[in-house]
């Protein structure tokens, strides 16, 4: 079947640099002595540790559980002992520290014994499959790390027409998906079939950029071998085709609105690596404890490594033979959207798809010179895949006109970096947009806090008034009580007086009855 | 290990502003060459004086504004403004005319507004209009093609005429200068002559439009197409401008071809091609959305025709461009493209 492909506007053709890291097969990274496992390796709430310092753990054992719906558990990548639960630097542009579980490996790599491989996923309901995937800690391996079971959940009355596997891998240098598709196509297709079952999806499509013919051929071979109905579609190589919404547009012609989920348009997209992880979780009972990471750039043997999570970047780079002296920078992720590490002493996690090592000679990343003035040439608008007007966004971001910048849909920007890449004035546009976004978020946060403070103040006022009123009421009640007491007393007085009066009256009567006995008789 | 940590993206296409400007200059080369072929070396002297003046004023303005000289002088934007002005003004014009025009273009139209990227009006056209209004005689005195005047203008001759007012052989350029074809046509039409009569046997008219001019305009067209091919400019403005000019000229020409010149004449005369590909497309002062660019181009095309046919000046490109410059910000705001995944109005 020949499928009509669609096009999204914009995008750029980038130098690929992909051959260098696909020459060698997947290398298995040697187990280091320590693994540092951040509690948050996904989008959502950090997981909660369920082990304590000193505990022995086995490979595949859950060491931190999901803390909420949008969260993912963490498993021990190998056997060993928990030696610390503390704060370590994590792979994040900020270089901030976050809670991690540190495991000292024992070298036995002994599996825990409660693995429950599922024979045929069709013997289980989609709900059960989702639970397995959730408990296996599977998150999107394409980059964002969104818990996968959520993207395998159908909402009310939702139907999935097309389940897309994303094998586009449009960022230069990165080849972890490419090599996985070449070497483990069966895992991917089997995983895809499990996902299809979980979503009750009608069609399955795999989108691959046409610069990966080997990967496409391998997948086609696997599809034939398994005799399943999956379409492998080669899409034009163009950045950012691997963006979820861009790929959906190309394959289906549908545009997913900003803030909307693809499932609202009956489409779900998963990364090819995620499909393989799902296969391992369901068919082998292996939770997500390792992934393929590309180590490429300025080193002698660029290759893809299967890494246990928690291995430090320094360790992996050393294993890959990187000479630290020549390194200029190390990028976590690709050159377009990745971030540069400020230290190699960070653990690699579920979303670590690539380490790009650069030096001044072999990987000269064209450093921007001093930015010139924007001449509004519009090259940025031509390449923006979202069809924004970066030149206007820049103008208003620079002027800190944050209302206007939202008029031009700043928050639809996906920070793909295309505008930056082509800008002849070499203006760091994406940085300006990030600045504008954070400023707006901050302002909103402050507004919220101000509102909260106002609320608190009002509540305090209310409380004071209420207390005053209560006090008043209490006083009133007391006064009433006193008054009541008083009136009781006066009753007694009255009774006494009455009695006295009666006595008096009696005396008088007696006196009247015997006048000869004058009253003064008493004086006698 | 000390690592360098700039933010993404970490790569760049290598495109540079100066390269963009240089490409525009290269695209002018065919027309300049033909200019020399038809009209002699005057244009080269014009360009040299204008460029020299532009760089001087640019350097002074940058120094006064405490901006780095090197990177800004090297961006070729002042050079481009100067060359465009030199092309807009008549060859053999006195040197001070060029200097005044360049002064207003660089200092007033550009730096007083904040420098490159901040000027609302096309600097070259501001410079041109200032001298057009202040010194109408000097600006409207054009040489006919050498083939017509029989006078070949050498480089030294042109330099001498520009600096001293007389050609090297002592001839005053005024003696051989003539009105441009557009000017001539306009004056004759106002005297109730009909077009066939005006053009008939007049050597300043060539096969398509003005003699010599028609080829120079075609050379601008070629250069402009190369710029579109190289993605230095977008097609929208030139196509919209030329199409609207041709369309409106065509309608009037069909109504009365004796009183209104043909669309081809309009397209290949005066500054139509230079304006369409090199002046209206100045990105700083033009609209930057695609729909905005089309409206911007249409506006210029219509205004050019109106000014040429019924206005006080034989040529209207400069005024048309400046008028539409005023409208550009509004056009931009109301012609934002549909954002991915959003409806037209959300």
């Amino acid at each position: 079947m020949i499928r009509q492909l669609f096009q999204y506007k914009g995008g750029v053709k980038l130098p690929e640099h992909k051959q260098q890291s696909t020459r060698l097969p997947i290398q298995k990274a040697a187990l280091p002595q320590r693994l540092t496992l951040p509690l948050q390796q996904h989008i959502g709430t950090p997981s909660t540790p369920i082990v304590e310092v000193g505990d022995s753990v086995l490979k595949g054992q859950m060491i931190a559980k999901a803390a909420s719906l949008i969260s993912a558990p963490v498993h021990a990548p190998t056997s060993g002992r928990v030696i610390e639960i503390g704060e370590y630097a994590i792979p994040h542009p900020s270089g901030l520290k976050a809670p991690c579980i540190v495991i000292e490996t024992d070298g036995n790599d002994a599996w825990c014994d409660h693995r429950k491989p599922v024979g045929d996923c069709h013997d289980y309901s989609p709900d059960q499959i989702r639970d397995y995937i959730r408990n296996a800690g599977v998150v999107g391996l394409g980059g964002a790390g969104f818990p996968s079971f959520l993207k395998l959940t159908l909402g009310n009355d939702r139907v999935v027409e097309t389940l897309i596997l994303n094998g586009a891998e449009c960022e230069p240098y990165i080849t972890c998906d490419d090599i996985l598709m070449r070497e483990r196509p069966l895992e991917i297709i089997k995983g895809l079939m499990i996902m299809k079952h979980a979503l009750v999806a009608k069609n399955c499509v795999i989108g691959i950029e046409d610069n990966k013919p080997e990967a496409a051929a391998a997948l086609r071979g696997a599809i034939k071998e398994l005799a399943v109905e999956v379409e492998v579609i080669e899409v034009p190589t163009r950045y950012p085709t691997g963006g979820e919404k861009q790929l959906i547009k190309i394959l289906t012609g549908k545009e997913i609105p900003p803030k909307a989920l693809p499932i609202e348009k009956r489409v779900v997209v998963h990364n090819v690596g995620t499909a393989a992880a799902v296969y391992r979780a369901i068919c082998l009972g292996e939770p997500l404890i390792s992934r393929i990471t590309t180590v490429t750039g300025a080193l002698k043997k660029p290759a893809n490594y299967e890494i246990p999570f928690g291995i430090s970047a320094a360790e992996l780079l050393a294993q890959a033979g990187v000479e630290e002296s020549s390194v200029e920078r190390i990028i976590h992720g690709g050159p377009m959207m990745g971030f540069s590490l400020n230290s190699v002493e960070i653990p690699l996690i579920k979303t670590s798809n690539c380490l790009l090592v650069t030096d001044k000679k072999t990987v000269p990343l064209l450093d921007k010179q001093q930015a010139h003035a924007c001449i509004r040439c519009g090259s940025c608008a031509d390449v923006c895949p979202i069809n924004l007007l970066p030149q206007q966004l820049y103008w208003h971001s620079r002027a800190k006109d944050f209302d206007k910048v939202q008029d031009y849909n700043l928050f639809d920007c996906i920070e793909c970096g295309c505008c930056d890449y082509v800008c002849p004035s070499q203006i760091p546009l994406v940085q300006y947009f990030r600045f504008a976004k954070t400023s707006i978020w901050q302002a909103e946060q402050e507004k919220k806090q101000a509102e909260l403070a106002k609320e608190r103040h009002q509540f305090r006022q209310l409380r004071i008034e209420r207390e005053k009123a209560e006090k008043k009421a209490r006083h009133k009640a007391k006064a009433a009580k006193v008054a009541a007491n008083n009136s009781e007393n006066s009753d007694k007085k009255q009774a006494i007086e009455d009695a006295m009066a009666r006595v008096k009256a009696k005396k008088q009567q007696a006196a009247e009855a015997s006048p000869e006995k004058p009253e003064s008789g008493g004086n006698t | 290990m000390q690592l360098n940590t700039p933010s993404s993206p970490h790569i760049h296409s290598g495109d540079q502003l100066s390269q963009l400007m240089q490409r525009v200059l290269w695209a002018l080369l065919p027309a300049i060459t033909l200019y020399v072929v038809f009209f002699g070396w005057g244009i080269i002297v014009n360009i040299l004086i204008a460029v020299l003046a532009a760089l001087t004023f640019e350097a002074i303005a940058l120094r006064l504004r405490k901006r780095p000289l090197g990177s800004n002088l090297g961006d070729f934007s002042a050079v481009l403004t100067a060359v465009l002005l030199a092309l807009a003004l008549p060859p053999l014009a006195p040197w001070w005319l060029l200097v005044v025009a360049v002064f207003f273009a660089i200092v007033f139209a550009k730096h007083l507004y904040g420098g490159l990227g901040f000027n609302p009006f096309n600097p070259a056209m501001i410079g041109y209009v200032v001298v057009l209004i202040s010194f109408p005689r000097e600006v409207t005195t054009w040489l006919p093609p050498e083939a017509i005047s029989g006078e070949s203008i050498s480089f030294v001759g042109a330099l001498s005429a520009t600096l001293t007012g007389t050609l090297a052989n002592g001839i005053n350029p005024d003696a051989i200068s003539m009105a441009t074809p557009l000017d001539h046509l306009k004056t004759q039409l106002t005297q109730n002559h009909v077009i066939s009569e005006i053009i008939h046997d007049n050597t300043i008219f060539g096969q398509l439009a003005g003699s010599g001019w028609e080829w120079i305009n075609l050379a601008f067209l070629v250069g402009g197409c190369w710029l579109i091919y190289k993605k230095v400019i977008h097609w929208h403005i030139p196509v919209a401008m030329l199409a609207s000019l041709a369309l409106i000229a065509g309608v009037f020409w069909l109504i009365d071809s004796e009183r209104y010149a043909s669309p081809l004449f309009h397209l290949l005369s005066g500054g139509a091609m230079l304006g369409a590909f090199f002046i209206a497309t100045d990105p700083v002062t033009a609209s930057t959305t695609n729909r905005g660019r089309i409206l911007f181009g249409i506006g210029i095309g219509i205004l050019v025709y109106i000014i040429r046919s019924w206005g006080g000046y034989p040529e209207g490109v400069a005024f048309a461009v400046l008028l539409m410059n005023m409208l550009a910000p509004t056009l931009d705001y109301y012609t934002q493209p549909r954002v991915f995944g959003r409806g037209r109005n959300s």
Side-chain angles (χ1 to χ4, degrees):
Chain A
M1 185 178 111
I2 293 168
R3 179 184 278 262
Q4 186 209 343
L5 290 185
F6 299 84
Q7 246 190 331
Y8 63 91
K9 202 214 112 242
V12 286
K13 259 212 158 339
L14 298 172
E16 295 165 15
H17 299 291
K18 290 195 187 248
Q19 294 82 5
Q20 40 179 307
S21 53
T22 48
R23 284 187 203 119
L24 293 172
I26 297 173
Q27 314 279 303
K28 203 160 166 57
L31 265 183
Q33 286 192 327
R34 277 164 68 109
L35 295 174
T36 309
L37 294 144
L39 294 176
Q40 182 160 32
Q41 305 184 29
H42 53 266
I43 284 182
T45 334
S47 50
T48 318
I50 52 172
V51 288
E52 277 169 22
V53 175
D55 283 3
S56 286
V57 291
L58 289 169
K59 184 176 185 177
Q61 181 186 333
M62 193 187 283
I63 54 174
K65 62 175 186 188
S68 69
L69 183 70
I70 306 179
S71 184
V74 178
H75 301 78
T78 184
S79 56
R81 201 167 57 87
V82 177
I83 54 168
E84 197 190 340
I85 298 176
E87 303 249 315
Y88 281 94
I90 53 159
H92 189 271
S94 66
L96 282 179
K97 291 182 173 181
C100 299
I101 299 173
V102 185
I103 294 175
E104 188 183 56
T105 60
D106 59 13
N108 298 333
D109 207 22
W111 274 99
C112 61
D113 50 7
H114 43 76
R115 277 195 284 167
K116 275 186 249 157
V118 170
D120 183 353
C121 69
H122 293 94
D123 297 342
Y124 295 80
S125 72
D127 273 336
Q128 284 170 309
I129 296 290
R130 270 191 289 275
D131 267 355
Y132 274 118
I133 293 172
R134 184 181 187 192
N135 286 328
V138 179
V139 302
L141 296 180
F146 192 74
S148 296
F149 79 96
L150 287 167
K151 279 173 79 179
L152 290 170
T153 308
L154 283 169
N156 294 337
D157 308 325
R158 292 240 168 98
V159 181
V160 173
E161 236 160 57
T162 319
L163 168 60
I164 298 174
L165 269 201
N166 186 346
E169 199 164 52
C170 58
E171 275 239 30
Y173 289 99
I174 308 178
T175 57
C176 58
D177 288 348
D178 187 2
I179 206 93
L180 184 79
M181 289 188 278
R182 290 190 201 189
E183 292 195 20
R184 300 173 187 172
L186 281 170
E187 291 188 10
I188 294 170
I189 303 298
K190 285 178 183 168
L192 174 61
M193 288 301 113
I194 298 167
M195 290 172 155
K196 183 183 179 184
H197 172 59
L199 283 169
V200 205
K202 286 183 187 155
N203 302 304
C204 294
V205 175
I206 306 180
I208 304 181
E209 279 193 345
D210 56 13
N211 60 354
K212 295 182 254 301
E214 297 91 342
L219 287 176
R220 287 201 178 101
I223 291 163
K224 214 169 168 190
E225 196 182 323
L226 294 171
V228 288
E229 226 175 280
V230 178
E231 235 183 305
V232 175
I233 295 173
E234 277 145 307
V235 297
T237 301
R238 190 170 185 80
Y239 179 84
T241 292
E244 185 175 73
K245 292 180 178 179
Q246 281 68 39
L247 190 63
I248 292 172
K249 169 81 184 187
I250 289 179
L251 293 175
T252 69
K254 293 175 181 171
E255 284 191 10
I256 313 299
K259 293 186 188 112
L261 294 173
I263 199 162
E264 291 167 28
K265 297 256 181 181
R266 304 182 164 201
V267 184
V268 169
V269 183
H270 283 280
N271 171 264
V272 286
T274 316
V278 163
Y279 158 78
R280 288 182 163 238
I282 300 295
C283 298
L284 307 178
E286 287 180 17
L288 185 62
I289 52 173
S290 68
R291 69 160 295 146
I292 316 278
T293 299
T294 309
V295 184
T296 187
L299 63 159
K300 286 205 184 78
K301 276 190 194 163
N304 282 285
Y305 287 82
E306 179 152 21
I307 57 147
F309 296 137
I311 188 173
S312 77
E315 173 79 27
L316 182 61
L317 292 172
Q319 287 188 22
V322 175
E323 287 162 28
E324 289 200 6
S325 56
S326 62
V327 172
E328 191 238 348
R329 73 177 96 147
I330 293 165
I331 295 161
H332 182 276
M336 291 301 282
M337 291 186 79
F339 52 89
S340 30
L341 299 176
N342 43 24
S343 159
V344 287
E345 294 305 327
I346 54 118
L348 298 179
I349 57 170
K350 292 177 181 176
T351 53
S352 304
N353 54 1
C354 179
L355 286 182
L356 172 56
V357 184
T358 78
D359 62 6
K360 291 273 189 235
K361 276 177 282 167
T362 45
V363 186
L365 298 184
L366 192 96
D367 259 323
K368 293 189 173 182
Q369 297 163 356
Q370 207 207 336
H372 282 266
C374 169
I375 57 161
R376 292 155 45 85
C377 65
S379 297
C380 47
D382 292 344
V383 298
C384 178
I386 310 298
N387 220 2
L388 300 171
L389 296 172
Q391 76 273 22
Q392 305 295 84
L393 289 171
Y394 164 70
W395 182 273
H396 296 301
S397 298
R398 226 179 105 108
K400 299 188 185 165
D401 187 348
F402 294 136
D403 289 332
K404 205 67 168 205
V405 95
Q406 290 182 77
D407 266 7
Y408 281 95
N409 300 308
L410 170 73
F411 283 99
D412 289 9
C413 168
I414 56 170
E415 297 177 22
C416 64
C418 288
C419 50
D420 235 278
Y421 180 78
V422 298
C423 177
S425 291
Q426 314 207 348
I427 299 166
L429 292 163
V430 176
Q431 218 165 308
Y432 274 98
F433 304 155
R434 286 195 194 110
F435 161 76
K437 283 181 186 175
T438 21
S439 303
I440 293 166
W441 281 326
Q442 214 168 1
E444 269 169 17
Q445 204 84 31
E446 274 164 22
K447 206 173 138 193
K448 256 187 209 158
Q449 263 164 5
E451 265 163 23
L452 202 69
K454 198 173 152 194
E455 228 167 70
R456 273 203 210 109
H457 177 71
Q458 281 171 342
F459 183 73
R460 184 169 171 270
Q461 297 295 94
L462 267 176
R463 196 190 69 215
I464 289 171
E465 255 163 50
R466 195 191 64 215
E467 280 174 357
K468 256 189 196 162
E470 278 174 3
K471 218 172 175 180
K472 221 173 170 182
R474 264 205 314 276
H475 278 295
K476 233 182 192 168
K478 212 171 172 184
K481 213 173 166 186
V482 171
N485 281 347
N486 286 351
S487 67
E488 225 172 85
N489 288 348
S490 63
D491 284 352
K492 280 180 187 166
K493 248 184 198 165
Q494 194 65 44
I496 293 168
E497 271 168 21
D498 287 352
M500 298 264 280
R502 273 198 305 275
V503 171
K504 228 178 180 175
K506 265 184 187 167
K507 272 186 180 168
Q508 220 163 353
Q509 269 175 3
E512 272 168 18
S514 50
E516 56 278 35
K517 267 187 187 172
E519 246 178 296
S520 58
N523 295 333
T524 55
Chain B
M1 178 166 39
Q2 189 57 44
L3 293 168
N4 190 356
T5 58
S7 73
S8 69
H10 305 274
I11 48 177
H12 189 265
S13 60
D15 286 350
Q16 286 180 11
L17 194 59
S18 55
Q19 185 191 11
L20 215 68
M21 300 279 179
Q22 284 174 58
R23 284 198 172 148
V24 180
L25 288 167
W26 282 117
L28 288 167
L29 199 64
I32 294 173
T33 311
L34 285 187
Y35 214 125
V36 174
V37 169
F38 286 110
F39 294 91
W41 287 88
I43 186 66
I44 300 296
V45 173
N46 263 12
I47 289 173
L48 288 180
I49 292 174
V51 167
L52 200 69
L55 288 175
T56 312
F57 291 134
E58 177 92 350
I60 293 170
L62 286 170
R63 175 62 58 83
L64 288 175
R65 295 179 57 221
K66 300 188 174 68
R67 298 292 146 101
L69 281 188
S71 63
N72 285 308
L73 277 181
D75 67 17
F76 284 86
S77 65
V79 175
L80 181 58
T81 303
V83 173
L84 291 174
L85 253 177
L87 284 167
L89 293 170
L92 307 194
W95 63 272
W96 52 262
L97 189 76
L98 286 158
V99 172
V100 169
V102 168
F103 176 75
F104 274 92
I106 299 290
V107 177
F108 276 72
K110 185 171 159 188
H111 280 288
L112 286 189
Y113 282 100
L116 182 65
F118 296 92
N119 47 305
F121 297 105
N122 187 307
M125 290 303 99
I126 289 280
Y128 173 77
V129 165
V130 166
V131 291
L132 174 67
I133 293 170
S134 315
F135 312 102
R137 198 178 64 84
E138 281 81 358
V139 177
T140 47
T141 308
W142 291 75
L143 285 185
E146 289 179 340
I148 297 170
S149 67
E151 190 70 46
S152 92
I153 312 287
S154 68
F155 182 77
V156 178
L159 195 63
S160 149
T162 303
L163 297 176
T164 65
T166 52
L167 287 164
N169 54 12
I171 295 176
N172 190 325
D174 281 356
I176 52 168
S177 71
M178 296 163 86
T180 61
L182 266 179
D183 203 354
H184 184 70
L185 188 75
K186 182 156 197 161
T187 340
Q188 294 295 307
L189 278 173
T190 50
Q191 289 161 13
N192 287 327
H193 294 284
V194 294
I195 286 179
S196 54
E197 182 191 342
I198 300 166
I199 289 178
H200 183 68
D201 279 346
N202 191 330
T203 48
I204 69 163
F205 295 102
Q207 273 132 9
L208 308 168
S211 168
W213 289 112
E214 53 200 15
W215 300 110
I216 293 173
N217 267 299
L218 284 172
F220 282 131
L221 174 67
V222 170
C225 289
W226 181 73
L227 285 183
I228 292 175
Y229 169 72
K230 280 284 176 189
K231 295 197 170 151
V232 174
I233 59 172
H234 293 80
W235 59 266
H236 309 78
I237 292 175
V239 169
M241 170 180 160
L242 296 175
S244 63
L245 177 62
L247 192 75
I248 189 168
V251 169
F252 282 96
W253 181 63
L254 284 177
I255 292 172
D256 187 353
S257 64
E258 284 298 353
R259 295 206 26 84
Y260 298 100
S262 74
L264 206 59
F265 181 85
H266 273 285
L267 290 181
L268 297 179
S269 294
M273 290 292 169
L274 177 69
F277 289 97
F278 295 90
I279 289 168
T281 52
D282 166 31
V284 177
T285 55
S287 179
T288 65
T289 65
N290 285 342
R291 283 188 301 147
R293 287 183 181 120
I294 288 174
L295 295 173
F296 184 82
I298 291 175
I300 294 176
I302 293 172
L303 285 170
V304 166
Y305 191 79
I306 290 173
I307 297 170
R308 278 183 180 178
S309 304
W310 303 289
Y313 288 90
E315 174 58 307
V317 170
F319 293 110
V321 167
L322 291 175
L323 286 169
M324 288 310 288
N325 284 165
M326 288 188 216
L327 215 58
T330 315
L331 284 177
D332 279 351
Y333 189 79
Y334 287 106
T335 58
Q336 291 181 42
R338 187 185 67 83
V339 172
F340 184 93
R342 284 183 188 266
R344 176 62 71 188
N345 297 317
S346 63

